[in-house]
Amino acid sequence: MKKNKVKRHGSLRRVLGDIRLSLLAFFVLVCLVLFGVLMIRRSLLKNAQESGSALARSYAEEARSNLTVYETLLSYGTAFLEDRLNTGYTKEELFASAEMYFDRVTGVLGDLVISPFLFLDGEMLTTTELAPSDIDPDYDPTQRPWYQAAVEADGTIVFTGLYTDIVSGQPAITVVQSINNGYAVLGFDIFTENFHFQATPLSLAHADSFFLCDAAGSVLYARTGLPLGDAELQDYCNFLLDKISAGELGEYNDYITDLDGNRRGVYYARMDNGWYTIVTVPYYTILGDLKPFGSVSALILAISLLVLAVTVWRAKKYHDRIGRANETVQVLGNSYYALYRVDCSDGTYEMIKSAPPVQGRLAEKGSYADLLQMVQDVMEPGTYTEFRESFSLENIRRLICNHTPDFGGDFQRRFGDEYHWVNVRVLFDETLPPEEVVLCFREIGQERQRQMEERRVLEDALELARRNETAKQTFFSSMSHDMRTPLNAIVGLSELSAQYEDTDRLKDCLRKINNASRQLLNLINDILDMSRMEQGKVMLNNREFDLRACLEECLDAFRFQAQAQQKTFDVGLELNNTHLLGDPARISQILNNLLSNAFKFTPEGGTIRFHVSQIDKGDFAKYKIVVADTGIGMSADFLPHLFEPYSREMRFTAKQSVGTGLGMSITKNLVSQMNGELQVESEQGKGTTFTLVLPFAVVADSEPHAEAAPAAESYSLEGRRILLAEDNEVNMEIATELLQMHGVEVTQAWTGREALEQFEKSEPFHFDAVLMDMQMPEMDGCEAARRIRALDRPDAGTVPIIAVTANAFAEDIAATAAAGMNAHVSKPIDFAHLCRTLARLTAGTEPSAPHS
């Protein structure tokens, strides 16, 4: 009996213990649920404050961007009109310029977005057509707040408060800027109905509200589901602004009660012009329904789990919305490899982002002095002193006091073993806590490298221009001497020849005049060749030719010169293929330049060696040409400049160097155009060796095609009738005398028109040929040739017309050919060449009439 009683008491105690434990567990569960609900509520309100504040700042940035567009267009307009005002435009011209500017602005923004106007010297110009009834006779623009604000701003752009437009009756604001101390004011009337906010990182929910207010509290824009009229809406925003000004909405759990009796969280941002962006979110949107749904612990647990799930879902939703806002910030942050928040009040920093090597050396938070020490360790030596002064706490405080939003510069920072260019900025904004700034670092190595490369290119171009200018000055100085020397001989010998009666002495003078003239002609040809090469206008005239004949023709003159100057001229030709495709005239020019230099700088008794060998065979063959001499040679300092234009070695020698300094540059250019190679070896006192390698296409025929025309020596002009067109009296006399000395009957024409008339009056086939100058008065030679070819007579299309002119360039030759001329002979006239040309063109024909 007693034993059973003890058992019952033990069971009761256990039951009571279980009940107590269950109640305690229930109580703990209830406490945990309640505590969890409170913590969740606090977290949601904080998240709502962060997302709402981010949304308000986003709207503020978008509004600021829109205002910046208007400011930019207005600044362009005031600069545009001020420039014309300062250059003396009349009022009517200024109004015309303003109308053109209005068209461009409204074309950019739209006709109904803004209404531009200009107040100039007491007159108003707008884009709005006003009826007489719309104009207040007492209306004085100078008494309007926008005019007074513009004048007081003294050229700074200002925005007015909200007002009702007198014409449209729509709410608007005005942005204005004065010109020349108020002589003119340019402005835009901006209608608030055209305010739009689209490019925001977050979107408003259906029950959320957004308001944009100016500095005076007037509502500029509203998006809300609250049933409010215009007056009620303004009163509601005044109520919100009063709360904000009183600091009653700064904490996460601060709220207001709207007109529907619902609690709302209020989040805002203040713009730098005093405007406010305000976002309100109902509490039921933030918190949802978190009321307990029952008293049973299982139901409480279920509800708690459900609330937890809902809360997690809501937290994720808000987290995603905040994440989108943070993504926008991260896009900017990715441009910088290091970001720090610096608090000037206590001299500390907080690391937001940093380069990997720094993370192990620098704490996430610490003294600003530690951050400066880290920068000193990686900065280029010699730069840190200036950096420390510019980015000291004292200077940053000055920047904050002066409201400087952006300050910085460039320096070189060590990354591993290399230095890269880095840009450092101090960013300040009023949305940050007082005395806090953002210190950021961005690598700009590629930008800086590009800038330095562009600068080096400009410096190299400038240096090259300077060197060319110096070389040209030297060239002109030398050219003046070298041209005056033969000119002096020509002038002097011409005067002497008039006094000589002795035929031998007279012939000697004429021979020397001829030599000096040819020397002068060579100088001029070098100058013209170089000019053409610098312009890229030298073209090769490739044709079939015999290399051996070309070489022999070039060498004959130098064999005679070697004999006359008592110098040894050693020639060796080892050729297999001689029938080639190339420009024999340019090949002769190259060899003449090399050989003439070798003879010029080799003293009497010296040796000049000329050796040609074929080093490749087949369809394309290469020929090695060596020109060596035992002359005075060149210094090692001058050799790198040998092929530069206008360069000549200036040193004391027994023989003065003459020439333009262009011959070797021309030679090098021609060799390059022929895809050849030219090398030089020289030593002072021992001589110079040029090695030239030229490639040529081998022509399949064994011998080059020969012209059927007779040689100049065997060709006779006796009995020929030639029409000679020349406007220069001396040239006419020379050509006429030369032709008449060879039995030619010459008919003179002094203009192109006269040449045409002489040919028209003549009988068909009267003239055997026409020698035509190109540049003549009344009608030039090309036009005269075209007119002759167009005549309706049997000989008009067949009579040989030869251009005899000083215009000797490739385009001149092409122009004469296009005009119908058969050949081109350059002045000074090489009479042997003229004879060969006439022989070719008149081969097989008899003179028109016997010579009388």
Side-chain angles (χ1 to χ4, degrees):
M1 182 72 178
K2 187 175 180 179
K3 185 177 180 181
N4 291 336
K5 188 176 181 178
V6 173
K7 288 182 178 179
R8 284 197 298 272
H9 282 291
S11 297
L12 181 60
R13 285 195 297 271
R14 285 195 298 274
V15 170
L16 292 175
D18 292 336
I19 293 173
R20 292 190 190 98
L21 182 61
S22 298
L23 291 174
L24 179 61
F26 179 78
F27 178 75
V28 170
L29 180 60
V30 170
C31 290
L32 290 174
V33 170
L34 292 176
F35 178 77
V37 169
L38 292 175
M39 294 303 296
I40 291 171
R41 181 180 185 276
R42 181 175 182 271
S43 175
L44 289 174
L45 290 176
K46 283 195 170 185
N47 287 341
Q49 184 188 36
E50 293 177 3
S51 62
S53 297
L55 184 57
R57 289 194 298 270
S58 176
Y59 279 125
E61 288 297 323
E62 188 171 359
R64 178 68 260 177
S65 298
N66 292 334
L67 295 181
T68 300
V69 172
Y70 297 131
E71 291 174 347
T72 301
L73 292 174
L74 185 61
S75 297
Y76 168 77
T78 55
F80 175 73
L81 294 176
E82 187 175 16
D83 179 68
R84 279 153 179 74
L85 183 62
N86 292 335
T87 54
Y89 272 43
T90 65
K91 183 188 295 186
E92 289 76 16
E93 292 173 333
L94 288 172
F95 275 136
S97 298
E99 288 177 347
M100 179 177 65
Y101 166 71
F102 290 170
D103 291 341
R104 292 181 180 176
V105 172
T106 55
V108 173
L109 299 178
D111 293 334
L112 303 178
V113 176
I114 66 168
S115 176
F117 63 88
L118 172 65
F119 178 69
L120 173 64
D121 195 22
E123 292 186 34
M124 179 72 77
L125 175 66
T126 69
T127 58
T128 305
E129 296 292 334
L130 297 177
S133 59
D134 294 330
I135 303 175
D136 186 350
D138 297 327
Y139 177 79
D140 183 5
T142 61
Q143 302 303 315
R144 300 295 294 173
W146 57 263
Y147 179 85
Q148 297 171 357
V151 173
E152 291 174 1
D154 192 24
T156 302
I157 295 176
V158 293
F159 287 83
T160 68
L162 186 68
Y163 66 93
T164 301
D165 183 69
I166 63 174
V167 178
S168 65
Q170 298 295 324
I173 62 173
T174 298
V175 53
V176 291
Q177 187 175 15
S178 68
I179 305 172
N180 285 11
N181 300 321
Y183 175 78
V185 174
L186 181 66
F188 303 152
D189 291 333
I190 306 171
F191 302 108
T192 58
E193 66 179 1
N194 293 308
F195 282 10
H196 297 287
F197 291 86
Q198 299 175 352
T200 56
L202 302 174
S203 60
L204 288 171
H206 177 70
D208 299 346
S209 298
F210 165 64
F211 308 100
L212 174 65
C213 302
D214 64 14
S218 301
V219 179
L220 303 176
Y221 177 85
R223 187 194 298 177
T224 179
L226 296 175
L228 301 175
D230 292 341
E232 294 174 317
L233 179 63
Q234 185 62 59
D235 292 339
Y236 184 71
C237 287
N238 290 339
F239 165 72
L240 294 177
L241 290 171
D242 290 340
K243 290 283 188 180
I244 292 172
S245 300
E248 298 178 5
L249 299 176
E251 297 297 327
Y252 74 94
N253 55 355
D254 291 337
Y255 62 90
I256 56 103
T257 302
D258 64 18
L259 299 179
D260 292 337
N262 295 317
R263 292 181 178 182
R264 284 180 174 265
V266 180
Y267 316 106
Y268 60 92
R270 187 175 186 272
M271 299 168 56
D272 55 4
N273 62 351
W275 293 11
Y276 280 91
T277 55
I278 305 173
V279 176
T280 68
V281 183
Y283 261 36
Y284 61 79
T285 300
I286 299 173
L287 299 177
D289 192 0
L290 295 179
K291 296 180 180 180
F293 296 98
S295 59
V296 181
S297 59
L299 184 59
I300 293 175
L301 179 60
I303 293 173
S304 300
L305 292 175
L306 179 61
V307 170
L308 180 61
V310 171
T311 303
V312 169
W313 176 78
R314 288 181 178 271
K316 183 179 184 303
K317 182 178 178 181
Y318 277 99
H319 180 270
D320 291 341
R321 294 170 67 184
I322 295 173
R324 290 177 63 83
N326 290 336
E327 286 174 0
T328 304
V329 178
Q330 186 176 359
V331 169
L332 298 176
N334 288 340
S335 299
Y336 298 91
Y337 70 82
L339 295 166
Y340 301 91
R341 290 279 291 270
V342 178
D343 190 339
C344 298
S345 60
D346 57 5
T348 60
Y349 73 88
E350 178 183 356
M351 181 190 298
I352 307 299
K353 179 183 178 182
S354 68
V358 174
Q359 294 176 357
R361 300 175 50 194
L362 200 63
E364 293 189 0
K365 296 183 179 180
S367 171
Y368 183 66
D370 296 338
L371 177 59
L372 292 180
Q373 181 60 47
M374 185 277 299
V375 174
Q376 182 181 9
D377 293 342
V378 298
M379 180 176 285
E380 181 186 25
T383 309
Y384 178 70
T385 301
E386 182 181 356
F387 178 89
R388 182 181 58 194
E389 294 175 356
S390 300
F391 295 91
S392 64
L393 291 175
E394 293 76 10
N395 194 51
I396 294 177
R397 291 191 188 100
R398 283 195 293 271
L399 295 174
I400 295 174
C401 293
N402 294 333
H403 299 281
T404 303
D406 190 351
F407 173 81
D410 302 339
F411 69 93
Q412 284 193 299
R413 180 198 188 280
R414 188 177 69 252
F415 289 87
D417 297 330
E418 297 180 349
Y419 280 96
H420 295 178
W421 280 100
V422 167
N423 178 260
V424 57
R425 317 297 306 173
V426 170
L427 306 179
F428 166 73
D429 192 271
E430 292 183 354
T431 57
L432 293 172
E435 298 215 1
E436 280 199 22
V437 297
V438 176
L439 183 66
C440 47
F441 298 83
R442 180 169 66 96
E443 188 173 354
I444 58 169
Q446 294 181 348
E447 300 175 13
R448 191 78 176 197
Q449 184 67 24
R450 185 173 61 254
Q451 293 173 358
M452 294 176 68
E453 288 177 356
E454 291 173 354
R455 182 174 180 178
R456 280 198 298 270
V457 169
L458 292 176
E459 289 177 347
D460 292 344
L462 179 61
E463 180 60 26
L464 179 60
R466 288 172 177 167
R467 289 200 304 267
N468 285 343
E469 184 63 25
T470 301
K472 286 184 179 181
Q473 290 298 331
T474 304
F475 158 70
F476 284 123
S477 176
S478 301
M479 184 184 67
S480 174
H481 170 270
D482 293 340
M483 294 185 73
R484 288 177 184 275
T485 298
L487 280 173
N488 180 67
I490 294 170
V491 173
L493 289 169
S494 298
E495 293 176 353
L496 287 175
S497 63
Q499 303 175 19
Y500 289 145
E501 296 182 359
D502 186 354
T503 303
D504 293 336
R505 295 294 302 275
L506 185 59
K507 287 183 178 180
D508 183 61
C509 284
L510 292 176
R511 181 183 58 78
K512 292 177 179 177
I513 289 174
N514 184 267
N515 291 337
S517 300
R518 294 190 178 279
Q519 181 183 351
L520 183 59
L521 179 62
N522 290 335
L523 291 173
I524 294 173
N525 285 338
D526 279 352
I527 295 168
L528 294 177
D529 266 352
M530 195 62 216
S531 175
R532 304 290 292 175
M533 287 178 179
E534 288 180 347
Q535 299 175 41
K537 295 183 178 180
V538 172
M539 304 296 293
L540 296 178
N541 182 22
N542 289 327
R543 60 183 178 83
E544 296 180 17
F545 77 104
D546 188 323
L547 178 61
R548 185 182 299 275
C550 177
L551 295 175
E552 290 292 350
E553 183 178 356
C554 178
L555 294 173
D556 284 344
F558 290 101
R559 288 190 176 99
F560 176 79
Q561 183 177 350
Q563 183 179 1
Q565 296 178 356
Q566 298 183 3
K567 300 175 183 177
T568 301
F569 188 28
D570 182 13
V571 176
L573 303 178
E574 300 176 9
L575 304 175
N576 294 320
N577 302 102
T578 62
H579 190 198
L580 310 174
L581 187 66
D583 188 338
R586 292 300 184 182
I587 295 171
S588 296
Q589 184 178 359
I590 292 172
L591 298 181
N592 281 329
N593 281 339
L594 296 177
L595 286 169
S596 62
N597 279 343
F599 273 88
K600 181 190 301 182
F601 296 109
T602 300
E604 184 178 319
T607 299
I608 297 93
R609 184 171 65 89
F610 180 83
H611 186 266
V612 181
S613 58
Q614 184 172 339
I615 56 178
D616 277 344
K617 299 181 180 179
D619 293 339
F620 291 91
K622 286 186 178 180
Y623 296 83
K624 178 180 178 182
I625 303 172
V626 178
V627 179
D629 64 68
T630 58
I632 61 176
M634 291 175 280
S635 64
D637 294 336
F638 177 71
L639 276 178
H641 307 284
L642 174 62
F643 298 114
E644 294 178 0
Y646 319 115
S647 63
R648 294 190 303 183
E649 184 169 27
M650 297 299 180
R651 55 191 174 94
F652 296 106
T653 62
K655 186 178 180 63
Q656 178 63 36
S657 174
V658 296
T660 60
L662 298 176
M664 295 313 300
S665 178
I666 293 171
T667 300
K668 182 68 172 179
N669 189 292
L670 292 174
V671 170
S672 298
Q673 288 196 62
M674 294 179 181
N675 297 318
E677 299 176 8
L678 179 61
Q679 298 179 348
V680 59
E681 298 177 1
S682 185
E683 186 176 349
Q684 281 184 281
K686 294 186 177 180
T688 302
T689 299
F690 285 95
T691 302
L692 171 64
V693 177
L694 292 176
F696 294 105
V698 177
V699 179
D701 296 342
S702 60
E703 293 294 336
H705 299 296
E707 294 182 351
E713 293 76 7
S714 62
Y715 176 73
S716 174
L717 296 177
E718 186 73 29
R720 297 288 181 180
R721 290 176 178 169
I722 292 179
L723 175 59
L724 175 61
E726 173 63 65
D727 66 319
N728 183 273
E729 183 177 354
V730 175
N731 289 340
M732 177 69 85
E733 180 181 358
I734 294 173
T736 301
E737 288 292 334
L738 284 173
L739 291 170
Q740 289 179 346
M741 288 172 59
H742 287 78
V744 176
E745 180 180 334
V746 178
T747 300
Q748 296 181 341
W750 297 90
T751 68
R753 185 174 301 279
E754 185 178 345
L756 174 63
E757 293 173 352
Q758 291 277 12
F759 191 85
E760 284 181 311
K761 291 188 299 183
S762 68
E763 294 293 329
F765 301 103
H766 175 78
F767 291 113
D768 295 290
V770 179
L771 304 184
M772 185 78 73
D773 189 20
M774 286 185 67
Q775 295 184 359
M776 290 184 293
E778 297 188 35
M779 182 185 295
D780 62 47
C782 289
E783 180 62 22
R786 279 191 290 268
R787 297 283 188 91
I788 291 174
R789 292 301 186 205
L791 292 175
D792 185 15
R793 50 187 285 168
D795 61 341
T798 59
V799 62
I801 304 177
I802 303 171
V804 181
T805 175
N807 297 358
F809 293 136
E811 61 265 29
D812 302 317
I813 299 174
T816 58
M821 299 193 199
N822 304 91
H824 186 287
V825 175
S826 300
K827 293 179 181 177
I829 300 174
D830 184 340
F831 197 76
H833 176 57
L834 177 60
C835 286
R836 286 193 296 269
T837 304
L838 286 170
R840 176 170 57 85
L841 295 176
T842 60
T845 65
E846 294 296 328
S848 298
H851 183 60
S852 57

